[in-house]
Amino acid sequence: MPETPQRPPLSGADVLHARREMVDRLVADGLLHDTAVRRALLAVPREQLLPWIYVLRQEPEQPGRWWWQVLDGTRPQDRAEWVERIHGERSVAVQWQGRPMNTPDRGRVEGGDVTATTSVLSSTATTLEDRSLEPGLRVLDAGTGAGVVAALAAHLAGTDSVTTVECDPHVAQAARERLAAAGYPLEVVTGDALAGHPQGAPYDRLHAGFAVRCLPPAWLEQLAPGGLLLATLTTASPFWLGRCTVRRHRSGRLEGEVAALGWGHRPGRGWRWLSAHSHRARLAAFPVRRRRTALAPPGPDEHGLWLALAHLAPGLVQDRQADHLTVIAPGEDSFAAVRPDGQAWQVEHAGQRDIWDEVEALHARWVRAGRPEAYRLEVASDGGQHLTSCAGPRPLGWELPRAPLAGAAGDINHVEEP
């Protein structure tokens, strides 16, 4: 029988140089401080875990048409961009349409969705430093993806200490094979990551590589005394998220905090972000009403306000491609845009929902609560989860949804990434 042709090697001087530059960049940007994490990032061969990736392209003569190009690290014509992207800051797409990952697609693919990605590099570095991993700590990585975070955790805590769970069998199999080839033959479980992995519990560290609307009860149950859980809490908007940290005290009591952020992991399967993009042209044709407002447009860095708005005035999403602050309610065919008008501000709004009235009212509540940027997470005896501000004379709070992932909130917009 003829031998199967071998793929050219992925490693090389260009890859090692890019890996060093990646780490130097994180250090220079103040995102990497821990020496052990730095060594892990230098040691783990990302090229072995990301042998080919998908890159979103726009048709030059058709601005509204997008397609995916496959970059294969063994192809000379793809090599330079592939090396740059797998060591870059942005998330990298590794699976399209839930397909098997044992051989790469060729050229371009159109339509459909990317169904697996890596974490953003800065998020990976922050997560690793916050987890304070040491040899022997029991680690659960929920949502394996390409296996990059699992490999880094294994480098820090030991291969025998790390378990990772992935719902997609193709992603799990690819990660299992690539991790072993890269020198990290850790346990990759094919199953529901929302259920954790009770056979290996309790865990000293639990990290989710995808966002959820609330913390799954299984994660809390499987967290060991003295353990730490890190996860992203999503909302319907891709820019109004929270980074959740939960500690279980030796007594068994849970203590959690959610820091409002404008970026984070993508939601797990079963939940879709609202999209401003798909309603932009439609709303431009609506008759516009105008009025003055005393409220200057809140900045994108006022994350605590936007997180509260996502929960207390649901169904809204910000159009980050607009020239001025624009908030859209796709479900009600409504929008509000705030523009400068001399020394004041003018609101242009349309549709059945008066969005800016809601923003003004919630902004006043947020100010009275002390402009919180973080909220305390409380877990009730019945499993309910509640966020509340910790400062200010009139706290701001709300209940989290009961289902970690459910329903479809809208269309995923692959162009507008957090």
Side-chain angles (χ1 to χ4, degrees):
M1 294 179 62
E3 293 186 4
T4 302
Q6 297 295 310
R7 288 170 53 83
L10 292 163
S11 299
D14 54 347
V15 166
L16 295 176
H17 177 72
R19 205 186 301 166
R20 287 192 294 268
E21 282 196 331
M22 174 190 74
V23 172
D24 291 343
R25 187 170 65 249
L26 288 169
V27 172
D29 292 343
L31 299 171
L32 181 58
H33 308 89
D34 188 279
T35 302
V37 174
R38 181 178 182 274
R39 287 198 297 263
L41 286 165
L42 285 170
V44 170
R46 299 173 70 88
E47 68 277 9
Q48 299 289 337
L49 303 175
L50 303 166
W52 52 83
I53 61 176
Y54 295 82
V55 178
L56 190 62
R57 306 290 197 197
Q58 179 173 303
E59 200 70 49
E61 298 180 0
Q62 301 180 48
R65 185 176 180 182
W66 300 83
W67 51 280
W68 296 94
Q69 180 179 353
V70 182
L71 297 182
D72 184 340
T74 65
R75 289 163 56 89
Q77 61 268 41
D78 295 344
R79 180 79 180 191
E81 186 178 3
W82 170 79
V83 169
E84 178 183 359
R85 286 185 177 267
I86 68 171
H87 296 94
E89 166 60 18
R90 293 176 68 87
S91 175
V92 176
V94 297
Q95 186 195 41
W96 179 74
Q97 285 291 89
R99 294 169 60 137
M101 299 170 62
N102 53 345
T103 57
D105 290 300
R106 293 295 182 188
R108 62 189 271 170
V109 293
E110 298 190 51
D113 290 328
V114 159
T115 44
T117 65
T118 65
S119 298
V120 173
L121 180 60
S122 58
S123 175
T124 298
T126 300
T127 296
L128 289 168
E129 295 209 334
D130 288 350
R131 283 201 289 183
S132 303
L133 292 176
E134 300 174 357
L137 290 179
R138 294 286 301 164
V139 180
L140 179 65
D141 177 48
T144 310
V148 173
V149 173
L152 291 163
H155 189 90
L156 292 163
T159 299
D160 293 339
S161 297
V162 178
T163 301
T164 181
V165 184
E166 169 62 46
C167 69
D168 187 297
H170 300 308
V171 175
Q173 181 62 25
R176 188 177 296 113
E177 294 173 355
R178 294 172 186 177
L179 283 164
Y184 302 100
L186 52 87
E187 184 177 11
V188 180
V189 178
T190 304
D192 182 5
L194 295 175
H197 186 57
Q199 293 88 334
Y203 299 98
D204 303 299
R205 300 290 185 268
L206 196 157
H207 165 258
F210 59 95
V212 290
R213 297 195 301 163
C214 69
L215 296 176
W219 294 358
L220 298 173
E221 294 166 1
Q222 294 171 27
L223 189 62
L228 174 67
L229 185 158
L230 299 173
T232 297
L233 293 186
T234 192
T235 69
S237 171
F239 307 110
W240 304 342
L241 308 173
R243 191 166 189 274
C244 182
T245 304
V246 177
R247 298 181 184 275
R248 183 180 293 280
H249 292 272
R250 297 294 177 183
S251 64
R253 182 175 65 87
L254 294 170
E255 181 179 17
E257 182 182 82
V258 176
L261 295 174
W263 54 270
H265 291 297
R266 290 175 176 270
R269 297 182 186 184
W271 179 255
R272 290 175 177 265
W273 280 324
L274 290 168
S275 170
H277 176 77
S278 59
H279 283 71
R280 193 176 294 127
R282 174 180 172 82
L283 294 175
F286 280 29
V288 174
R289 307 183 298 277
R290 294 177 174 84
R291 69 172 177 86
R292 293 287 187 92
T293 178
L295 176 62
D301 58 342
E302 294 184 85
H303 302 302
L305 170 66
W306 297 117
L307 181 62
L309 190 73
H311 286 277
L312 297 174
L316 301 179
V317 62
Q318 186 176 350
D319 183 354
R320 287 291 184 93
Q321 296 184 15
D323 294 333
H324 304 281
L325 177 65
T326 302
V327 181
I328 297 175
E332 289 93 352
D333 276 339
S334 305
F335 81 91
V338 185
R339 305 174 184 275
D341 184 12
Q343 300 300 312
W345 299 92
Q346 178 176 263
V347 181
E348 296 180 354
H349 57 112
Q352 57 185 307
R353 183 172 176 180
D354 196 333
I355 295 172
W356 200 249
D357 273 1
E358 298 179 54
V359 175
E360 288 175 325
L362 187 59
H363 184 271
R365 293 178 59 191
W366 181 67
V367 170
R368 289 195 297 270
R371 298 177 177 267
E373 290 298 318
Y375 298 86
R376 183 173 63 247
L377 172 67
E378 299 172 339
V379 180
S381 58
D382 65 353
Q385 298 171 26
H386 184 270
L387 295 188
T388 183
S389 58
C390 304
R394 301 179 66 177
L396 190 62
W398 60 88
E399 292 285 337
L400 292 178
R402 288 280 181 156
L405 294 169
D411 297 322
I412 290 179
N413 182 356
H414 290 297
V415 182
E416 299 177 354
E417 296 183 29

